Protein backbone atom coordinates (compact mmCIF):
# COMPACT_ATOMS: atom_id res chain seq x y z
CA UNK A 1 0.00 0.00 0.00
CA UNK A 2 1.16 3.49 -0.80
CA UNK A 3 0.82 6.72 1.10
CA UNK A 4 1.91 10.00 -0.53
CA UNK A 5 4.03 8.07 -3.01
CA UNK A 6 5.77 6.09 -0.25
CA UNK A 7 5.04 2.56 0.86
CA UNK A 8 3.36 2.29 4.25
CA UNK A 9 5.53 1.07 7.09
CA UNK A 10 3.75 -2.17 7.94
CA UNK A 11 4.28 -3.09 11.60
CA UNK A 12 1.19 -5.22 12.07
CA UNK A 13 2.55 -8.72 11.44
CA UNK A 14 1.37 -9.59 14.95
CA UNK A 15 -2.17 -9.12 13.70
CA UNK A 16 -2.10 -10.15 10.04
CA UNK A 17 1.14 -11.15 8.34
CA UNK A 18 1.89 -10.01 4.79
CA UNK A 19 1.37 -12.20 1.74
CA UNK A 20 4.29 -14.34 0.54
CA UNK A 21 5.17 -13.70 -3.12
CA UNK A 22 4.53 -17.34 -4.04
CA UNK A 23 1.04 -17.68 -2.54
CA UNK A 24 -0.90 -16.35 -5.51
CA UNK A 25 0.66 -18.70 -8.07
CA UNK A 26 0.37 -21.67 -5.72
CA UNK A 27 -3.31 -20.95 -5.20
CA UNK A 28 -3.76 -20.71 -8.95
CA UNK A 29 -2.25 -24.18 -9.30
CA UNK A 30 -4.92 -25.70 -7.04
CA UNK A 31 -7.70 -23.83 -8.83
CA UNK A 32 -6.47 -25.18 -12.15
CA UNK A 33 -6.20 -28.71 -10.77
CA UNK A 34 -9.70 -28.51 -9.35
CA UNK A 35 -10.97 -27.23 -12.70
CA UNK A 36 -9.22 -30.01 -14.63
CA UNK A 37 -9.49 -32.98 -12.30
CA UNK A 38 -12.59 -32.49 -10.20
CA UNK A 39 -12.73 -35.20 -7.54
CA UNK A 40 -9.75 -36.97 -9.10
CA UNK A 41 -7.60 -34.16 -7.74
CA UNK A 42 -7.63 -35.93 -4.40
CA UNK A 43 -5.13 -38.33 -5.96
CA UNK A 44 -3.98 -36.76 -9.22
CA UNK A 45 -3.54 -33.06 -8.54
CA UNK A 46 0.07 -31.89 -8.67
CA UNK A 47 -0.11 -31.89 -4.88
CA UNK A 48 -2.76 -34.54 -4.18
CA UNK A 49 -5.41 -33.26 -1.78
CA UNK A 50 -5.86 -36.53 0.12
CA UNK A 51 -2.58 -36.34 2.04
CA UNK A 52 -2.22 -32.55 1.58
CA UNK A 53 -1.95 -31.65 5.27
CA UNK A 54 0.99 -34.03 5.61
CA UNK A 55 3.06 -31.90 3.23
CA UNK A 56 2.99 -29.13 5.83
CA UNK A 57 3.74 -31.12 8.94
CA UNK A 58 7.51 -31.31 8.92
CA UNK A 59 8.04 -27.62 8.21
CA UNK A 60 5.45 -26.62 10.80
CA UNK A 61 7.06 -28.93 13.34
CA UNK A 62 10.36 -27.10 12.79
CA UNK A 63 8.77 -23.69 13.23
CA UNK A 64 7.30 -24.59 16.62
CA UNK A 65 10.06 -26.97 17.74
CA UNK A 66 8.15 -30.23 17.83
CA UNK A 67 8.23 -33.73 16.38
CA UNK A 68 6.09 -34.34 13.29
CA UNK A 69 3.79 -36.69 15.22
CA UNK A 70 3.02 -33.80 17.59
CA UNK A 71 1.91 -31.22 15.02
CA UNK A 72 -0.99 -30.79 12.63
CA UNK A 73 -2.46 -27.91 10.64
CA UNK A 74 -6.23 -27.96 11.07
CA UNK A 75 -9.30 -25.87 11.91
CA UNK A 76 -8.87 -22.42 13.42
CA UNK A 77 -7.39 -21.42 16.73
CA UNK A 78 -10.45 -21.19 18.94
CA UNK A 79 -11.86 -24.42 17.48
CA UNK A 80 -8.58 -26.16 18.27
CA UNK A 81 -8.56 -24.69 21.75
CA UNK A 82 -11.98 -26.20 22.39
CA UNK A 83 -10.91 -29.58 21.00
CA UNK A 84 -7.87 -29.54 23.25
CA UNK A 85 -9.89 -28.60 26.30
CA UNK A 86 -12.27 -31.48 25.60
CA UNK A 87 -9.24 -33.71 25.98
CA UNK A 88 -7.17 -31.90 28.59
CA UNK A 89 -9.71 -30.25 30.85
CA UNK A 90 -11.36 -32.97 32.88
CA UNK A 91 -12.57 -31.42 36.13
CA UNK A 92 -12.85 -34.02 38.88
CA UNK A 93 -13.23 -33.95 42.67
CA UNK A 94 -11.54 -30.86 44.05
CA UNK A 95 -9.45 -30.39 40.89
CA UNK A 96 -11.82 -28.34 38.77
CA UNK A 97 -10.19 -25.02 37.95
CA UNK A 98 -8.59 -23.41 34.93
CA UNK A 99 -5.75 -20.96 35.48
CA UNK A 100 -5.66 -18.18 32.91
CA UNK A 101 -4.30 -14.62 32.59
CA UNK A 102 -6.63 -11.82 33.67
CA UNK A 103 -5.83 -10.07 30.40
CA UNK A 104 -6.02 -13.22 28.26
CA UNK A 105 -7.25 -12.73 24.71
CA UNK A 106 -11.06 -12.56 24.96
CA UNK A 107 -11.66 -15.61 22.77
CA UNK A 108 -9.52 -17.74 25.08
CA UNK A 109 -11.46 -16.58 28.09
CA UNK A 110 -14.82 -17.23 26.41
CA UNK A 111 -13.62 -20.69 25.40
CA UNK A 112 -12.44 -21.50 28.93
CA UNK A 113 -15.61 -20.13 30.56
CA UNK A 114 -17.86 -22.07 28.22
CA UNK A 115 -15.91 -25.28 28.80
CA UNK A 116 -16.38 -24.81 32.53
CA UNK A 117 -20.12 -24.32 32.01
CA UNK A 118 -20.21 -27.32 29.68
CA UNK A 119 -19.09 -29.42 32.66
CA UNK A 120 -21.96 -28.01 34.71
CA UNK A 121 -19.63 -25.78 36.74
CA UNK A 122 -19.54 -22.07 37.54
CA UNK A 123 -16.86 -19.93 35.84
CA UNK A 124 -16.89 -17.58 38.83
CA UNK A 125 -15.61 -20.40 41.00
CA UNK A 126 -13.55 -22.30 38.47
CA UNK A 127 -11.59 -19.66 36.59
CA UNK A 128 -8.49 -18.36 38.37
CA UNK A 129 -7.21 -15.16 36.78
CA UNK A 130 -3.56 -14.22 37.07
CA UNK A 131 -3.19 -10.50 37.69
CA UNK A 132 -0.06 -8.41 37.49
CA UNK A 133 1.14 -6.74 40.68
CA UNK A 134 -0.23 -3.36 41.60
CA UNK A 135 1.32 -0.76 39.30
CA UNK A 136 2.75 -3.39 36.92
CA UNK A 137 1.46 -4.60 33.57
CA UNK A 138 3.40 -7.83 32.94
CA UNK A 139 3.09 -10.92 35.09
CA UNK A 140 6.12 -12.08 37.02
CA UNK A 141 7.09 -15.69 36.50
CA UNK A 142 7.66 -16.12 40.22
CA UNK A 143 4.05 -15.04 40.87
CA UNK A 144 2.68 -17.52 38.32
CA UNK A 145 4.71 -20.31 39.91
CA UNK A 146 3.54 -19.26 43.37
CA UNK A 147 -0.13 -19.51 42.35
CA UNK A 148 0.49 -22.95 40.87
CA UNK A 149 2.31 -23.95 44.03
CA UNK A 150 -0.39 -22.81 46.43
CA UNK A 151 -3.53 -23.56 44.38
CA UNK A 152 -2.27 -26.31 42.05
CA UNK A 153 -4.24 -29.05 43.80
CA UNK A 154 -7.43 -27.41 42.60
CA UNK A 155 -6.22 -26.61 39.09
CA UNK A 156 -7.17 -29.04 36.32
CA UNK A 157 -5.71 -26.97 33.49
CA UNK A 158 -3.17 -24.17 33.18
CA UNK A 159 -3.89 -22.21 29.99
CA UNK A 160 -1.64 -19.28 29.17
CA UNK A 161 -1.19 -17.13 26.10
CA UNK A 162 2.37 -17.31 24.91
CA UNK A 163 3.36 -14.67 23.85
CA UNK A 164 0.78 -12.40 25.52
CA UNK A 165 -1.10 -10.53 22.81
CA UNK A 166 -1.28 -7.27 24.72
CA UNK A 167 2.07 -6.92 26.45
CA UNK A 168 4.18 -9.05 24.12
CA UNK A 169 5.50 -10.92 27.17
CA UNK A 170 6.86 -14.40 26.57
CA UNK A 171 6.58 -16.97 29.36
CA UNK A 172 9.06 -19.74 29.94
CA UNK A 173 6.90 -22.71 29.02
CA UNK A 174 9.31 -25.29 30.37
CA UNK A 175 9.39 -23.81 33.85
CA UNK A 176 5.62 -23.39 33.98
CA UNK A 177 4.93 -26.85 32.56
CA UNK A 178 7.30 -28.48 35.03
CA UNK A 179 5.72 -26.76 38.00
CA UNK A 180 2.21 -27.51 36.71
CA UNK A 181 2.98 -31.17 36.21
CA UNK A 182 4.52 -31.43 39.68
CA UNK A 183 1.15 -30.34 40.98
CA UNK A 184 -0.76 -32.75 38.75
CA UNK A 185 -2.19 -30.09 36.40
CA UNK A 186 -2.49 -30.29 32.62
CA UNK A 187 -0.66 -27.47 30.86
CA UNK A 188 -1.57 -25.87 27.53
CA UNK A 189 -0.47 -22.72 25.72
CA UNK A 190 -2.12 -20.46 23.19
CA UNK A 191 0.82 -19.59 20.94
CA UNK A 192 -1.06 -17.28 18.57
CA UNK A 193 1.58 -14.60 19.12
CA UNK A 194 4.46 -17.00 19.59
CA UNK A 195 4.32 -19.26 16.53
CA UNK A 196 6.66 -17.99 13.82
CA UNK A 197 7.69 -15.15 16.12
CA UNK A 198 10.26 -16.90 18.28
CA UNK A 199 11.47 -20.50 18.68
CA UNK A 200 8.95 -22.20 20.96
CA UNK A 201 10.59 -25.60 21.46
CA UNK A 202 7.18 -27.05 22.23
CA UNK A 203 8.42 -30.61 22.56
CA UNK A 204 11.13 -29.75 25.08
CA UNK A 205 8.81 -27.44 26.96
CA UNK A 206 6.92 -30.55 28.00
CA UNK A 207 3.51 -28.86 27.83
CA UNK A 208 0.58 -31.14 27.07
CA UNK A 209 -0.86 -29.16 24.20
CA UNK A 210 -0.58 -25.91 22.29
CA UNK A 211 -2.67 -24.17 19.66
CA UNK A 212 -1.98 -21.24 17.37
CA UNK A 213 -3.23 -19.41 14.31
CA UNK A 214 -1.19 -19.08 11.13
CA UNK A 215 -2.32 -15.67 9.91
CA UNK A 216 -0.20 -13.60 12.30
CA UNK A 217 3.55 -14.30 12.18
CA UNK A 218 3.06 -17.27 9.84
CA UNK A 219 1.66 -15.14 7.00
CA UNK A 220 -0.99 -17.56 5.78
CA UNK A 221 -3.81 -15.17 5.05
CA UNK A 222 -6.90 -13.85 6.85
CA UNK A 223 -8.75 -16.50 8.84
CA UNK A 224 -6.45 -19.24 7.59
CA UNK A 225 -6.12 -22.66 9.19
CA UNK A 226 -4.53 -22.91 12.61
CA UNK A 227 -2.15 -25.37 14.20
CA UNK A 228 -2.24 -27.78 17.10
CA UNK A 229 0.41 -29.56 19.15
CA UNK A 230 -0.17 -32.54 21.39
CA UNK A 231 2.90 -33.82 23.21
CA UNK A 232 4.21 -37.19 22.09
CA UNK A 233 3.45 -38.70 25.50
CA UNK A 234 -0.24 -38.52 24.59
CA UNK A 235 0.25 -39.89 21.06
CA UNK A 236 -1.40 -43.22 21.88
CA UNK A 237 -3.19 -42.37 25.09
CA UNK A 238 -6.54 -44.22 25.03
CA UNK A 239 -7.69 -42.56 28.27
CA UNK A 240 -8.06 -39.08 26.79
CA UNK A 241 -11.58 -38.03 25.93
CA UNK A 242 -11.73 -36.55 22.43
CA UNK A 243 -14.24 -35.25 19.91
CA UNK A 244 -13.68 -37.32 16.81
CA UNK A 245 -14.31 -37.24 13.06
CA UNK A 246 -13.36 -39.29 10.01
CA UNK A 247 -10.15 -37.40 9.25
CA UNK A 248 -8.68 -38.58 12.55
CA UNK A 249 -9.29 -42.20 11.64
CA UNK A 250 -6.61 -44.64 10.44
CA UNK A 251 -5.80 -43.59 6.86
CA UNK A 252 -5.77 -47.15 5.52
CA UNK A 253 -9.36 -47.83 6.47
CA UNK A 254 -10.82 -44.31 6.47
CA UNK A 255 -12.85 -44.92 3.31
CA UNK A 256 -14.15 -48.29 4.42
CA UNK A 257 -16.50 -46.28 6.62
CA UNK A 258 -16.35 -48.77 9.45
CA UNK A 259 -18.25 -48.28 12.66
CA UNK A 260 -15.38 -48.09 15.08
CA UNK A 261 -13.04 -45.14 15.28
CA UNK A 262 -9.42 -46.12 15.07
CA UNK A 263 -7.29 -43.07 15.86
CA UNK A 264 -4.19 -42.14 13.88
CA UNK A 265 -1.31 -42.10 16.40
CA UNK A 266 -0.48 -38.54 17.48
CA UNK A 267 -2.23 -35.23 17.07
CA UNK A 268 -3.68 -36.15 13.66
CA UNK A 269 -6.30 -38.13 15.58
CA UNK A 270 -7.86 -34.77 16.53
CA UNK A 271 -8.62 -33.89 12.91
CA UNK A 272 -12.32 -33.83 12.19
CA UNK A 273 -12.88 -32.97 8.55
CA UNK A 274 -11.07 -33.10 5.27
CA UNK A 275 -9.30 -29.74 5.24
CA UNK A 276 -9.87 -26.69 3.01
CA UNK A 277 -7.07 -27.06 0.47
CA UNK A 278 -7.24 -23.44 -0.67
CA UNK A 279 -6.29 -22.32 2.82
CA UNK A 280 -3.68 -25.08 3.18
CA UNK A 281 -1.98 -23.73 0.05
CA UNK A 282 -1.35 -20.42 1.74
CA UNK A 283 -0.01 -22.06 4.89
CA UNK A 284 2.30 -24.26 2.88
CA UNK A 285 3.55 -21.38 0.73
CA UNK A 286 4.55 -19.54 3.88
CA UNK A 287 6.11 -22.56 5.58
CA UNK A 288 8.45 -23.06 2.63
CA UNK A 289 9.87 -19.62 3.32
CA UNK A 290 10.31 -20.42 7.01
CA UNK A 291 12.09 -23.61 6.02
CA UNK A 292 14.48 -21.67 3.86
CA UNK A 293 15.12 -18.89 6.34
CA UNK A 294 15.19 -21.03 9.50
CA UNK A 295 13.70 -19.94 12.83
CA UNK A 296 17.08 -19.34 14.43
CA UNK A 297 18.21 -16.87 11.81
CA UNK A 298 14.86 -15.13 11.87
CA UNK A 299 15.11 -14.89 15.63
CA UNK A 300 18.58 -13.33 15.44
CA UNK A 301 17.31 -10.60 13.13
CA UNK A 302 14.17 -10.14 15.23
CA UNK A 303 16.18 -9.55 18.38
CA UNK A 304 18.24 -6.95 16.62
CA UNK A 305 15.29 -5.21 14.90
CA UNK A 306 13.30 -5.09 18.12
CA UNK A 307 16.31 -3.89 20.07
CA UNK A 308 16.81 -1.09 17.54
CA UNK A 309 13.15 -0.11 17.81
CA UNK A 310 13.36 -0.10 21.59
CA UNK A 311 16.50 2.04 21.54
CA UNK A 312 14.97 4.64 19.22
CA UNK A 313 11.62 4.82 20.98
CA UNK A 314 13.28 5.21 24.37
CA UNK A 315 15.08 8.33 23.17
CA UNK A 316 11.65 9.99 23.03
CA UNK A 317 11.86 10.24 26.79
CA UNK A 318 10.55 8.28 29.74
CA UNK A 319 8.21 11.10 30.69
CA UNK A 320 6.24 10.41 27.49
CA UNK A 321 6.91 6.79 26.64
CA UNK A 322 6.67 3.60 28.63
CA UNK A 323 7.43 0.35 26.85
CA UNK A 324 5.16 -2.18 28.52
CA UNK A 325 6.88 -5.18 26.92
CA UNK A 326 9.71 -6.70 29.02
CA UNK A 327 13.16 -5.26 28.25
CA UNK A 328 14.76 -8.71 28.43
CA UNK A 329 14.87 -10.22 24.89
CA UNK A 330 14.34 -13.67 26.46
CA UNK A 331 10.94 -12.52 27.63
CA UNK A 332 9.60 -11.11 24.39
CA UNK A 333 9.33 -11.69 20.66
CA UNK A 334 9.11 -9.05 17.95
CA UNK A 335 6.28 -7.03 19.43
CA UNK A 336 6.70 -3.87 21.48
CA UNK A 337 3.68 -2.44 23.27
CA UNK A 338 4.35 1.24 23.63
CA UNK A 339 2.33 3.16 26.16
CA UNK A 340 2.21 6.85 25.33
CA UNK A 341 1.39 8.78 28.47
CA UNK A 342 -1.63 11.06 28.22
CA UNK A 343 -2.08 10.18 24.54
CA UNK A 344 -5.37 9.26 22.96
CA UNK A 345 -6.47 7.72 19.69
CA UNK A 346 -5.74 11.00 17.86
CA UNK A 347 -2.04 10.22 18.08
CA UNK A 348 -2.62 6.83 16.54
CA UNK A 349 -4.77 8.30 13.78
CA UNK A 350 -2.01 10.77 13.07
CA UNK A 351 0.71 8.15 12.63
CA UNK A 352 -1.64 6.11 10.44
CA UNK A 353 -2.27 9.23 8.38
CA UNK A 354 1.50 9.69 8.07
CA UNK A 355 2.06 6.18 6.75
CA UNK A 356 2.38 3.66 9.59
CA UNK A 357 0.18 0.58 9.88
CA UNK A 358 0.23 -0.40 13.56
CA UNK A 359 -2.34 -1.38 16.14
CA UNK A 360 -4.01 0.62 18.90
CA UNK A 361 -5.25 -0.71 22.22
CA UNK A 362 -7.34 1.53 24.44
CA UNK A 363 -6.58 3.56 26.40
CA UNK A 364 -3.05 4.46 25.33
CA UNK A 365 -1.01 1.61 23.87
CA UNK A 366 0.45 1.33 20.36
CA UNK A 367 1.46 -2.20 19.44
CA UNK A 368 4.12 -2.57 16.77
CA UNK A 369 5.94 -5.59 15.50
CA UNK A 370 8.98 -5.45 13.26
CA UNK A 371 8.92 -8.82 11.52
CA UNK A 372 12.29 -10.11 10.28
CA UNK A 373 10.89 -11.69 7.11
CA UNK A 374 9.78 -8.38 5.65
CA UNK A 375 10.60 -5.43 7.89
CA UNK A 376 13.85 -3.53 7.60
CA UNK A 377 15.84 -1.30 9.93
CA UNK A 378 14.73 1.55 7.73
CA UNK A 379 11.07 0.69 8.43
CA UNK A 380 11.86 0.92 12.13
CA UNK A 381 13.55 4.26 11.69
CA UNK A 382 10.67 5.66 9.64
CA UNK A 383 8.21 4.58 12.31
CA UNK A 384 10.29 6.33 14.95
CA UNK A 385 10.49 9.55 12.92
CA UNK A 386 6.75 9.56 12.24
CA UNK A 387 5.95 8.90 15.89
CA UNK A 388 8.38 11.57 17.07
CA UNK A 389 6.87 14.07 14.64
CA UNK A 390 3.33 13.21 15.77
CA UNK A 391 4.26 13.70 19.42
C1 LIG B 1 -5.39 -13.90 17.40
C2 LIG B 1 -5.75 -14.65 18.60
C3 LIG B 1 -6.91 -15.45 18.64
C4 LIG B 1 -7.86 -15.51 17.46
O1 LIG B 1 -8.61 -16.68 17.44
P1 LIG B 1 -9.23 -17.25 16.09
O2 LIG B 1 -9.93 -18.45 16.54
O3 LIG B 1 -8.11 -17.50 15.13
O4 LIG B 1 -10.16 -16.19 15.54
C5 LIG B 1 -7.17 -16.17 19.79
N1 LIG B 1 -6.35 -16.10 20.88
C6 LIG B 1 -5.23 -15.34 20.86
C7 LIG B 1 -4.34 -15.30 22.05
C8 LIG B 1 -4.92 -14.58 19.74
O5 LIG B 1 -3.82 -13.81 19.74
Amino acid sequence: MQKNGETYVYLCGNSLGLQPKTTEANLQQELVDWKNYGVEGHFHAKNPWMPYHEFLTEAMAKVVGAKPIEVVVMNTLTVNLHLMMVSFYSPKGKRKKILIEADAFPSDKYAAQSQIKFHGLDPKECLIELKAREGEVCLREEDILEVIDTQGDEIALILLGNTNYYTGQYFNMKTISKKGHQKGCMVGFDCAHGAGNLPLNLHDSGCDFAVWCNYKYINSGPGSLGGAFVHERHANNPDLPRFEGWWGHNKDTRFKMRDDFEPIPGVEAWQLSNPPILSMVAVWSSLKIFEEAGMNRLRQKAISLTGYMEYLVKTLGEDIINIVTPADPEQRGSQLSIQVKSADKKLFDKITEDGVIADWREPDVIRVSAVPLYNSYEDVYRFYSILKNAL
Side-chain angles (χ1 to χ4, degrees), residues 131-268:
K131 291 198 181 70
R133 291 186 189 186
E134 189 72 34
E136 296 182 12
V137 185
C138 291
L139 291 165
R140 295 198 195 186
E141 184 180 283
E142 64 210 81
D143 293 352
I144 302 175
L145 298 178
E146 158 95 18
V147 171
I148 299 172
D149 223 8
T150 53
Q151 302 180 56
D153 298 344
E154 298 185 351
I155 296 172
L157 173 66
I158 296 167
L159 175 65
L160 298 180
N162 207 17
T163 313
N164 182 283
Y165 83 100
Y166 178 69
T167 61
Q169 182 181 16
Y170 174 81
F171 301 117
N172 187 322
M173 293 192 276
K174 197 168 186 166
T175 313
I176 292 170
S177 300
K178 194 164 162 218
K179 173 63 84 179
H181 288 157
Q182 275 167 6
K183 290 302 229 170
C185 318
M186 289 290 185
V187 184
F189 290 96
D190 179 338
C191 296
H193 283 260
N197 180 5
L198 65 185
L200 295 172
N201 300 320
L202 285 176
H203 176 82
D204 285 342
S205 83
C207 71
D208 296 288
F209 73 85
V211 292
W212 58 95
C213 53
N214 289 315
Y215 50 79
K216 290 170 181 161
Y217 292 92
I218 304 188
N219 309 321
S220 303
S224 82
L225 287 155
F229 163 92
V230 170
H231 197 277
E232 191 178 34
R233 80 176 81 87
H234 300 295
N236 293 294
N237 182 351
D239 298 330
L240 284 181
R242 181 171 51 219
F243 283 173
E244 291 164 348
W246 75 319
W247 226 250
H249 183 93
N250 178 350
K251 290 165 198 174
D252 298 330
T253 56
R254 187 187 280 153
F255 286 89
K256 298 212 170 92
M257 307 289 181
R258 301 178 334 170
D259 287 345
D260 294 330
F261 182 78
E262 200 188 304
I264 302 169
V267 68
E268 283 195 36

Side-chain angles (χ1 to χ4, degrees), residues 366-382:
I366 300 172
R367 295 188 310 168
V368 283
S369 201
V371 173
L373 273 174
Y374 49 80
N375 284 125
S376 62
Y377 295 93
E378 193 187 341
D379 287 342
V380 172
Y381 189 80
R382 276 180 64 205

Side-chain angles (χ1 to χ4, degrees), residues 76-79 105 107-108 165 190 192-193 213 215-216:
T76 47
L77 193 164
T78 309
V79 173
F105 194 85
S107 195
D108 299 40
Y165 83 100
D190 179 338
H193 283 260
C213 53
Y215 50 79
K216 290 170 181 161

